[in-house]
Amino acid sequence: AQKITQTQPGMFVQEKEAVTLDCTYDTSDQSYGLFWYKQPSSGEMIFLIYQGSYDEQNATEGRYSLNFQKARKSANLVISASQLGDSAMYFCAMRARGENFNKFYFGSGTKLNVKP
Amino acid sequence: ETGVTQTPRHLVMGMTNKKSLKCEQHLGHNAMYWYKQSAKKPLELMFVYNFKEQTENNSVPSRFSPECPNSSHLFLHLHTLQPEDSALYLCASGLGVNTEAFFGQGTRLTVV
């Protein structure tokens, strides 16, 4: 069974500082993808960054980077130079090959508050 | 703008009403999803369609009835809902395992 765990229900960070949002996953599949989404209060889910299980380098997209530690099954999101607009819910998700090929598994989310 | 459009954005319905939620994508994706997001709960996968065929029904009550007439359109038909069905309903579409799912902006449903 696939599982995503986000252990931080809420996080605070000072504007312009970096913050790490934790995500661990569990899967028996060898080929899988890990995703992070941002959900502002408006409700839309915004894709941020993707990491493939066979990617040797950590993914980066602008101020977002994914700290991928395959042996530990963790895929933490790092946001550098936080901005007030980063305040939102953040969801980690996984998609794997195998019989649940088309199924995304989401974590419970982390609510990030950026303080001025 | 992700390319996935959901209508309506907001819906208030009585428990005896029948309504439908619509999702549309013209991204060429083969898979479409319905998710339910209740307050303080994780996203719950409801249904998955792959090439118009339903591949997943996550023990969803029969008062929710999905329909996928083609790869670009997905509906969620609602009838005799309960107040606890009030939630944000998100539609998404996607391709293979190495690609992200694109989400619509959601329909915020209130059952009174």
Side-chain angles (χ1 to χ4, degrees):
Chain A
Q2 331 282 2
K3 188 177 178 182
I4 293 280
T5 303
Q6 293 180 255
T7 57
Q8 306 153 312
M11 291 278 288
F12 284 91
V13 65
Q14 201 69 39
E15 191 179 9
K16 298 180 185 177
E17 292 186 350
V19 63
T20 298
L21 307 184
D22 295 341
C23 172
T24 58
Y25 61 92
D26 189 20
T27 179
S28 56
D29 285 299
Q30 296 302 307
S31 178
Y32 50 89
L34 297 158
F35 307 82
W36 277 93
Y37 286 86
K38 172 184 177 182
Q39 187 180 41
S41 57
S42 57
E44 65 209 279
M45 294 280 279
I46 302 167
F47 166 71
L48 295 178
I49 195 167
Y50 160 80
Q51 179 86 42
S53 57
Y54 291 115
D55 294 340
E56 294 186 351
Q57 291 198 329
N58 287 342
T60 59
E61 288 288 346
R63 294 187 298 110
Y64 304 108
S65 60
L66 201 151
N67 184 1
F68 181 46
Q69 298 188 42
K70 192 170 183 177
R72 296 179 60 185
K73 293 190 174 179
S74 74
N76 299 339
L77 177 70
V78 181
I79 305 175
S80 62
S82 297
Q83 301 172 357
L84 296 178
D86 294 334
S87 294
M89 283 290 290
Y90 288 82
F91 292 94
C92 180
M94 179 177 66
R95 189 178 189 182
R97 287 200 187 282
E99 62 181 77
N100 291 319
F101 179 78
N102 274 310
K103 195 169 178 177
F104 275 84
Y105 297 87
F106 281 84
S108 55
T110 295
K111 185 172 176 60
L112 177 66
N113 284 290
V114 180
K115 299 193 291 184
Chain B
E1 190 64 45
T2 64
V4 181
T5 305
Q6 287 187 246
T7 53
R9 293 290 310 279
H10 300 272
L11 178 62
V12 179
M13 60 185 288
M15 290 190 284
T16 58
N17 291 159
K18 287 185 180 181
K19 297 286 184 183
S20 296
L21 309 185
K22 180 182 177 182
C23 177
E24 186 172 353
Q25 59 92 6
H26 295 286
L27 301 169
H29 293 165
N30 53 276
M32 296 188 77
Y33 312 80
W34 278 117
Y35 283 90
K36 175 185 178 183
Q37 188 178 30
S38 305
K40 299 181 180 179
K41 289 178 71 174
L43 270 78
E44 301 172 58
L45 178 65
M46 300 176 72
F47 301 103
V48 181
Y49 277 81
N50 193 28
F51 293 106
K52 303 188 299 177
E53 298 297 320
Q54 188 180 130
T55 58
E56 187 88 21
N57 177 339
N58 215 25
S59 302
V60 180
S62 60
R63 57 186 184 269
F64 295 92
S65 174
E67 179 190 1
C68 189
N70 54 61
S71 295
S72 300
H73 294 86
L74 184 65
F75 295 89
L76 188 62
H77 304 300
L78 317 170
H79 64 97
T80 59
L81 295 192
Q82 304 298 312
E84 60 265 27
D85 296 323
S86 299
L88 180 68
Y89 289 84
L90 289 161
C91 173
S93 70
L95 284 171
V97 70
N98 295 333
T99 64
E100 68 271 29
F102 292 83
F103 282 82
Q105 293 181 302
T107 296
R108 191 161 296 280
L109 173 68
T110 304
V111 181
V112 297

